[in-house]
Amino acid sequence: MKRPFLLCRVLGAVFISAVELLLLSVGPISCSMAGSDDSALSFHVASPGSTGGAALKVQSSSPPVLRSFLVDSSSGMTLEFDKLVSITDASLCPSDGGTPVAVSCDEGEGGMSVRLRFSSETKIGVAYDLKAVAHDADGNTLGFSVSFDGYNANLPDLVLCEVRNAYSSKANKYEFVRLYCSKAGNLSGLELLSAGDGEAKSFVFPAVEVSEGEYVCVHLRKMKDEDGAWKQQGMTDEDCGDIRASTAVDSSDDTWDFWQDNQKSRLSPSDIVMLRNRTDGRVVDAFLFRDPKKEAADWDGKYASFLKAVEQSGRWLDGEGNVSTEFESAFVAEGITSSAVTRTMRRRKLDAGPSSAADWCVEKTK
């Protein structure tokens, strides 16, 4: 009977010593524990006379989660959370360090949807950073930041119309994606990306006004030689407003040319090219193509998120006119190899509707 008693005395001494060490480090303390309906517990340690103290919160509930945000006007946006929240410390600043914009908020139904209002309108072509703190009923907080472009209510109507996924360093011919404009507007807020390259290599369009009947071309490489000099002159981004400023190979006087500062191979033998609205995540247009000699290894794995987005958009059809993202529905890029720079995949009709493999062909170029 003595051993259990001795063990209790030892454990008690250890506990008292631990408390004494805590007292020596922070002074006299007050402790409180509070529970809530969901069994969340809070343990507070504070020194007498202090206004705050160190708070250690042990919660069974989790902090709020920002599920999505939508910039739907030049003077406001909506945040969607997984639970009821309130917002504090909201601030909006141009990414280039311009004048901050005051932000106010009002809670939507249930407080899961929060509307933020800006004191002045955001500007097209300017990037903004929003920072704020979300609080839930249990005392959990989430500090978060989101970045977005100034709202653009004047987007053009564009369709993908030509893709080259081959290159030749000797001929200074590289991968590009061309688009056709059927309604005038400003390119700000749009981005071009592909499943093979991934989200990180997307091209974000500058704030350039384009007119009906004009083309837009994104050249996916801007190569340098071994000495670090440009391999060819005239690779000029036409965000300067001059549609004839770019004079390099594959440039055109009726096309707005833009160049990515990239040195590596782009686009896969089987790929998904998308034009997307960065403001709401909507897929504006899509082109699916496949190499007949390649298997569909990446199609349902690596490309899954792209396939889902294209399917939701309804921008790609199978041979019977149904929305499809199956590997078999993709355009068969026969004759396209890594060195076939004299061939591109071209859209036959430039209407604004969705397309299918039947609407595309392989054509020889100069």
Side-chain angles (χ1 to χ4, degrees):
M1 295 295 294
K2 292 183 178 180
R3 289 183 178 178
F5 177 74
L6 179 61
L7 179 61
C8 289
R9 291 188 63 182
V10 171
L11 292 175
V14 171
F15 176 77
I16 292 172
S17 297
V19 172
E20 289 176 344
L21 287 173
L22 181 61
L23 289 172
L24 289 172
S25 61
V26 302
I29 61 172
S30 62
C31 302
S32 63
M33 295 184 71
S36 62
D37 293 338
D38 63 355
S39 299
L41 300 176
S42 176
F43 181 75
H44 187 79
V45 182
S47 301
S50 67
T51 58
L56 172 62
K57 294 184 179 180
V58 182
Q59 303 274 0
S60 63
S61 62
S62 58
V65 174
L66 176 60
R67 287 179 169 171
S68 64
F69 69 92
L70 176 63
V71 182
D72 52 10
S73 76
S74 59
S75 58
M77 65 187 299
T78 300
L79 307 172
E80 296 289 342
F81 294 88
D82 67 334
K83 60 173 72 174
L84 185 148
V85 298
S86 59
I87 300 293
T88 64
D89 303 317
S91 63
L92 181 67
C93 295
S95 299
D96 61 3
T99 304
V101 178
V103 180
S104 60
C105 64
D106 53 77
E107 298 177 3
E109 183 179 355
M112 296 173 66
S113 177
V114 180
R115 181 71 181 172
L116 299 183
R117 304 184 185 281
F118 311 142
S119 61
S120 60
E121 293 187 347
T122 56
K123 299 179 180 179
I124 294 177
V126 176
Y128 292 86
D129 297 318
L130 171 80
K131 295 182 179 181
V133 179
H135 306 257
D136 67 14
D138 297 324
N140 294 304
T141 60
L142 170 71
F144 64 92
S145 63
V146 295
S147 300
F148 59 90
D149 299 324
Y151 182 73
N152 179 11
N154 185 35
L155 287 171
D157 285 343
L158 297 172
V159 294
L160 298 163
C161 67
E162 187 177 11
V163 174
R164 182 167 71 200
N165 66 333
Y167 67 92
S168 169
S169 297
K170 182 177 181 180
N172 280 328
K173 289 178 174 286
Y174 301 98
E175 304 93 327
F176 68 75
V177 177
R178 196 184 307 273
L179 306 98
Y180 175 74
C181 177
S182 60
K183 183 178 83 65
N186 193 294
L187 296 174
S188 179
L190 296 174
E191 65 178 338
L192 183 73
L193 64 166
S194 73
D197 291 332
E199 295 274 352
K201 294 182 180 179
S202 68
F203 175 80
V204 179
F205 286 95
V208 172
E209 296 284 341
V210 296
S211 301
E212 179 180 345
E214 293 179 336
Y215 293 85
V216 178
C217 185
V218 179
H219 305 267
L220 301 179
R221 291 207 224 187
K222 190 177 181 181
M223 297 294 290
K224 295 181 179 179
D225 58 27
E226 295 179 355
D227 297 325
W230 296 118
K231 291 198 67 175
Q232 61 171 330
Q233 299 301 310
M235 297 180 291
T236 304
D237 286 324
E238 293 173 342
D239 52 0
C240 57
D242 182 3
I243 198 172
R244 296 178 175 83
S246 182
T247 57
V249 175
D250 293 323
S251 299
S252 177
D253 287 349
D254 66 348
T255 299
W256 293 98
D257 294 288
F258 305 105
W259 299 80
Q260 280 195 298
D261 191 0
N262 164 65
Q263 309 292 309
K264 297 182 179 180
S265 178
R266 299 292 298 275
L267 300 178
S268 298
S270 299
D271 214 333
I272 301 165
V273 179
M274 296 194 319
L275 175 66
R276 187 168 67 186
N277 185 329
R278 282 165 51 87
T279 302
D280 57 15
R282 178 176 57 90
V283 175
V284 179
D285 200 20
F287 173 47
L288 284 61
F289 63 92
R290 61 187 174 97
D291 185 334
K293 299 178 182 178
K294 303 290 185 180
E295 298 295 330
D298 293 331
W299 206 256
D300 296 321
K302 179 181 176 182
Y303 292 178
S305 62
F306 285 78
L307 292 170
K308 181 179 179 181
V310 172
E311 185 174 7
Q312 291 175 342
S313 73
R315 295 298 302 178
W316 187 257
L317 310 176
D318 62 16
E320 298 179 355
N322 301 314
V323 174
S324 176
T325 56
E326 296 294 326
F327 185 68
E328 291 72 19
S329 73
F331 174 69
V332 179
E334 293 182 312
I336 297 291
T337 66
S338 61
S339 60
V341 292
T342 58
R343 297 182 180 88
T344 64
M345 294 172 280
R346 187 186 296 269
R347 189 169 183 163
R348 300 176 192 272
K349 296 180 180 180
L350 301 179
D351 57 74
S355 64
S356 68
D359 298 314
W360 290 76
C361 63
V362 173
E363 285 194 358
K364 289 187 176 182
T365 59
K366 296 180 180 180

